[in-house]
Amino acid sequence: MLKQRVITGLILLAILLPTLLAEAAWPFALLTLVFISAAGWEWSRLNEAPGARAWLLGAAVAGACVYVAHAFHLPLWGNVAQGVTPHVHAAGHALVGFIAPAEVWLGSTLLWVVGGALALRWGPTHWLQVPQGVRRLLGLALLVLAWMALVESRAQGLNYLLSVFCLVWGADIGAYFGGRAFGKHKLAPSISPGKSWEGVAAGMVAVLLLSAGWLVVDQQWAVDSPSLYSRLQWGLGVPGMVLALLALAGLSVVGDLFESLIKRQAGAKDSSQLLPGHGGVLDRIDALLPVLPVSLALMTLCHG
């Protein structure tokens, strides 16, 4: 299993890395469009709509992504930074310039905070009672919003995008080792019995340590763009940055638990077997689904 995971990971890295380094926007946009469409296919299968209906949702996700990209002028074909409106912070540093309206990201935040709380509270007993069509539409909306945020985040710079990715990975790694070492109080035993409150706390600590190191890198190295951490520090100050990072780390757990809930209701261990040794696409991006749009929503607070 470990060998399979490593081989799959190396193949994915070999495919992803050139698209991240490309000056043109289309390789990254196209590759992520394929992955998010596959996630739509998985979502449908996990929600009692396999076969042709799953393929239809995957195609609907792809079509909706292309539509909103053109509607909001997200960079698909030109240079990565095409369409970004520059904004200079009072400290003299350029902050993220939005392509899509900020209301999109604020609405995504509301959806994840309120909807996530309701899903985790009532989902274990009521998720399958929600009409199948509503569940599929929800998946469509969440996946399209995540892809929009992914493309827009890439337009802000590679360092910025990697800092968001690493926040999620750092929280996950910290939670895993912290939970194994100190976990005593179960977080959501009916959804994911292995997760603990101590693990969540350890993940948050890992994110704060990661941010401290990344701030040093931003100051000392010639990076292509300021990271999420620098932008939060400039816009919100250190206390505001800490609160924002804790919120993002918490939301990464919400995304993970939400996908675990759906899999448990479907009686599935993995979202699919599209990625040998890793499960499915949703298994890899579940924590990113809320973090990507909400991190951009937090950027709206950094303008001033």
Side-chain angles (χ1 to χ4, degrees):
M1 176 62 75
L2 178 59
K3 179 180 179 181
Q4 195 174 47
R5 286 177 64 89
V6 171
I7 292 174
T8 301
L10 290 174
I11 292 173
L12 289 174
L13 184 62
I15 296 172
L16 179 61
L17 193 58
T19 70
L20 285 172
L21 298 177
E23 291 187 7
W26 69 264
F28 181 75
L30 181 60
L31 178 64
T32 53
L33 186 64
V34 170
F35 279 119
I36 210 71
S37 301
W41 174 77
E42 293 174 349
W43 180 285
S44 185
R45 293 171 72 249
L46 291 172
N47 283 281
E48 305 175 297
R53 288 176 294 175
W55 287 101
L56 182 61
L57 184 60
V61 169
C65 286
V66 173
Y67 173 80
V68 297
H70 285 286
F72 293 118
H73 307 291
L74 294 175
L76 288 186
W77 312 114
N79 290 334
V80 170
Q82 177 183 344
V84 176
T85 301
H87 175 90
V88 179
H89 188 259
H93 301 284
L95 284 180
V96 61
F98 291 101
I99 306 171
E103 289 78 11
V104 172
W105 313 125
L106 295 172
S108 300
T109 301
L110 183 65
L111 178 62
W112 270 108
V113 172
V114 176
L118 291 174
L120 297 183
R121 174 64 180 85
W122 302 106
T125 54
H126 292 80
W127 177 251
L128 292 181
Q129 297 177 20
V130 178
Q132 181 196 110
V134 174
R135 282 181 276 148
R136 295 174 75 206
L137 284 174
L138 176 63
L140 174 69
L142 294 179
L143 293 172
V144 171
L145 286 168
W147 182 81
M148 287 178 64
L150 187 60
V151 172
E152 174 131 44
S153 296
R154 177 63 189 95
Q156 313 313 321
L158 182 57
N159 187 46
Y160 176 84
L161 178 64
L162 291 179
S163 67
V164 178
F165 281 173
C166 289
L167 182 150
V168 171
W169 298 334
D172 185 53
I173 293 170
Y176 175 77
F177 287 105
R180 291 194 63 179
F182 308 109
K184 294 181 179 179
H185 301 87
K186 297 298 182 182
L187 175 64
S190 63
I191 299 176
S192 184
K195 289 183 170 56
S196 66
W197 285 103
E198 291 82 2
V200 173
M204 290 180 172
V205 171
V207 167
L208 294 180
L209 293 175
L210 174 69
S211 69
W214 213 297
L215 288 171
V216 174
V217 170
D218 280 354
Q219 294 170 3
Q220 301 296 328
W221 290 16
V223 294
D224 74 314
S225 59
S227 68
L228 169 70
Y229 314 114
S230 288
R231 286 165 166 161
L232 289 173
Q233 183 189 38
W234 297 335
L236 304 178
V238 173
M241 178 194 72
V242 169
L243 291 176
L245 293 177
L246 293 179
L248 290 173
L251 279 170
S252 73
V253 177
V254 171
D256 191 324
L257 286 175
F258 186 38
E259 196 237 356
S260 295
L261 182 154
I262 295 171
K263 289 190 298 185
R264 182 168 287 267
Q265 295 296 302
K269 181 177 182 293
D270 298 315
S271 60
S272 76
Q273 296 300 320
L274 288 177
L275 304 176
H278 291 265
V281 176
L282 279 174
D283 295 320
R284 297 300 93 202
I285 67 169
D286 50 8
L288 282 167
L289 293 180
V291 171
L292 282 165
V294 175
S295 62
L296 286 172
L298 288 168
M299 290 296 97
T300 68
L301 304 179
C302 296
H303 283 234

